[in-house]
Amino acid sequence: MSNANQKTELLGLLPAQLADALAPLKVPAYRVQQIFRWLHQRRVKDFAEMTDLSKQFRMDLQNQFYINQPKIKQKLASCIDNTVKYLYQMQDGNCVEAVRMVYHHGVTACISTQVGCRMGCKFCASAPLGLVRNLTAAEMLGQIDLMDAEYPEEERVSGVVLMGIGEPLDNYENVLQFLRLLSCQEGRAMSLRHVTLSTCGLVPKIDQLAKEGLALTLSVSLHSPNDAARSALMPVNRKYPLDQLLAACGDYFRKTGRRVTFEYAVIRGENDSPEAAKQLAQRLRPVFPGMRPHVNLIPVNPVQDTGFCAGSAAQFRKYLEQEGVNATVRRTLGEDIQAACGQLRRNEMQDHNSNS
Ligand code: SAH
């Protein structure tokens, strides 16, 4: 990617691509590796900090290349737990959100994959604003780098969930590039076992992802066990109805050996009845034959103007377990800081519009 000055961005390039980009400078292979490590292990954002390169070479790099880095526009730290929510501003002024969450097993970053989203889910804070553009791989990595810059090395991000703003499979190539960079042995070397990709259900992309042979966890946002109700909540269901979606999940498991998990936002009066639990169990039982399906329940986060209220996830969990479906109730972190995705950006855009 080049910016207005025609400089090439380096953070978003894999080692071989970095070597190609640096070829005009006649850089030997070991120097390319050195620069990749500076970018991905030391995570420096300024060529001046690459102290084992000559001053002249650093200046040459500075003149022809740049390292993408979002800025922290706003930061909210929870008083209840260690959750921190970030509003980041990209170099073109667009904003996205990310959340840093501390669990007993490590630190997880929930990051955005697009500026906005075009999937139109009715309960989501980002949907009414539509899609502005895809994020680049460097902009996705930058969200994690900014979190890590604020904490000691031993508290760096060890897991990533692609559950911020955007539909990751609608930005397939950049997300794949990001995953390759994240797991690159010469760089961050994060195991993709610690990465979850959440999708609203773009069936052809799920099929494509199954062929990549990645060890990540695929999570499908289901939210309803029947087509009429799901289509009303999630327009994507009109294109890829439940039969197709769940068949793709079954195929994904057969091809990758990795079970797909399901997200279910419990909405009062919409999808929280014993009947809904029964239908959900019937739908999920055949997907992974001989195994109990697993559903993550999230009490829906009320978003201004959507009119949805949270149902009881604990109650719905009991209904599901009676039907032989395992369910966990997602611990809500950072409740005091609007950790619900999309709401900071939405507020920021509303403020911006009312001031202009
Ligand atoms: N586009 C992807 C990932 C981003 S959304 C997807 O649809 O999965 C991450 C998760 O948050 C999804 O399960 C989404 O359905 C859910 N979500 C969105 N708005 C929500 C809300 N108001 N309350 C609870 N969950 C919500």
Side-chain angles (χ1 to χ4, degrees):
M1 193 180 80
S2 297
N3 72 3
N5 304 325
Q6 296 309 308
K7 287 188 183 181
T8 300
E9 202 289 314
L10 294 188
L11 182 66
L13 303 180
L14 285 157
Q17 298 167 329
L18 185 63
D20 285 349
L22 296 172
L25 293 185
K26 309 247 180 303
V27 182
Y30 78 92
R31 281 257 178 259
V32 176
Q33 283 167 8
Q34 238 172 337
I35 295 171
F36 191 83
R37 282 199 298 270
W38 275 115
L39 293 169
H40 294 273
Q41 288 182 0
R42 308 288 289 276
R43 301 180 294 282
V44 304
K45 299 297 169 193
D46 188 339
F47 295 111
E49 290 175 58
M50 300 184 176
T51 45
D52 53 3
L53 309 179
S54 75
K55 218 165 186 175
Q56 182 57 49
F57 183 43
R58 282 184 263 163
M59 274 171 52
D60 292 345
L61 288 171
Q62 189 76 45
N63 289 336
Q64 297 179 45
F65 303 99
Y66 74 104
I67 307 165
N68 188 288
Q69 171 81 324
K71 274 197 315 220
I72 299 177
K73 170 113 183 172
Q74 200 184 337
K75 189 173 123 183
L76 294 174
S78 169
C79 301
I80 307 171
D81 45 55
N82 289 319
T83 304
V84 182
K85 174 145 203 180
Y86 295 88
L87 182 69
Y88 291 133
Q89 188 169 43
M90 305 292 129
Q91 287 186 332
D92 66 356
N94 277 303
C95 290
V96 296
E97 290 174 32
V99 188
R100 182 182 185 275
M101 295 166 289
V102 181
Y103 293 95
H104 62 273
H105 56 265
V107 177
T108 297
C110 173
I111 64 159
S112 294
T113 54
Q114 295 180 309
V115 180
C117 185
R118 58 179 179 148
M119 296 297 131
C121 298
K122 296 288 183 271
F123 43 80
C124 176
S126 296
L129 306 166
L131 175 69
V132 178
R133 67 171 176 85
N134 286 329
L135 291 181
T136 63
E139 287 171 326
M140 291 179 230
L141 278 174
Q143 295 173 56
I144 303 171
D145 289 349
L146 274 177
M147 291 177 189
D148 281 347
E150 301 204 306
Y151 294 87
E153 189 62 21
E154 60 278 13
E155 290 173 41
R156 65 186 265 208
V157 169
S158 54
V160 176
V161 294
L162 302 180
M163 288 193 185
I165 296 170
E167 167 50 49
L169 296 185
D170 191 36
N171 183 15
Y172 192 88
E173 290 308 327
N174 291 349
V175 165
L176 262 275
Q177 176 81 359
F178 161 74
L179 294 172
R180 290 187 193 111
L181 283 164
L182 192 66
S183 56
C184 185
Q185 281 310 313
E186 301 93 317
R188 278 184 170 264
M190 187 185 289
S191 162
L192 293 184
R193 290 186 186 280
H194 300 142
V195 176
T196 298
L197 185 155
S198 179
T199 178
C200 64
L202 297 177
V203 168
K205 298 292 177 192
I206 294 176
D207 294 343
Q208 197 176 339
L209 188 67
K211 294 183 197 135
E212 309 279 355
L214 303 175
L216 54 77
T217 300
L218 178 65
S219 183
V220 169
S221 300
L222 221 45
H223 305 327
S224 179
N226 73 75
D227 279 317
R230 191 167 189 268
S231 294
L233 287 175
M234 303 175 69
V236 68
N237 194 71
R238 291 187 212 127
K239 199 157 181 194
Y240 306 114
L242 282 163
D243 276 349
Q244 278 185 39
L245 176 57
L246 294 174
C249 294
D251 282 347
Y252 187 90
F253 173 60
R254 278 186 290 281
K255 288 206 180 92
T256 63
R258 312 260 320 155
R259 221 179 335 165
V260 177
T261 61
F262 300 99
E263 306 282 315
Y264 196 97
V266 186
I267 311 174
R268 196 195 304 165
E270 290 276 338
N271 64 3
D272 62 344
S273 65
E275 185 51 34
K278 200 177 224 125
Q279 280 184 17
L280 185 60
Q282 275 165 3
R283 284 276 189 188
L284 295 185
R285 251 180 245 125
V287 180
F288 312 117
M291 277 176 245
R292 280 167 82 102
H294 193 100
V295 179
N296 288 317
L297 300 173
I298 326 155
V300 80
N301 268 302
V303 173
Q304 200 192 337
D305 304 334
T306 59
F308 294 118
C309 299
S312 166
Q315 182 62 59
F316 195 67
R317 178 186 177 186
K318 285 191 193 131
Y319 297 151
L320 279 179
E321 297 209 320
Q322 280 159 15
E323 301 293 334
V325 172
N326 289 346
T328 40
V329 176
R330 167 93 57 80
R331 197 155 62 97
T332 41
L333 292 173
E335 266 177 304
D336 51 333
I337 52 163
Q338 292 182 303
C341 164
Q343 308 218 17
L344 268 189
R345 172 170 178 259
R346 191 177 151 124
N347 294 347
E348 154 75 22
M349 289 178 72
Q350 278 166 355
D351 287 353
H352 184 78
N353 291 341
S354 60
N355 291 338
S356 55

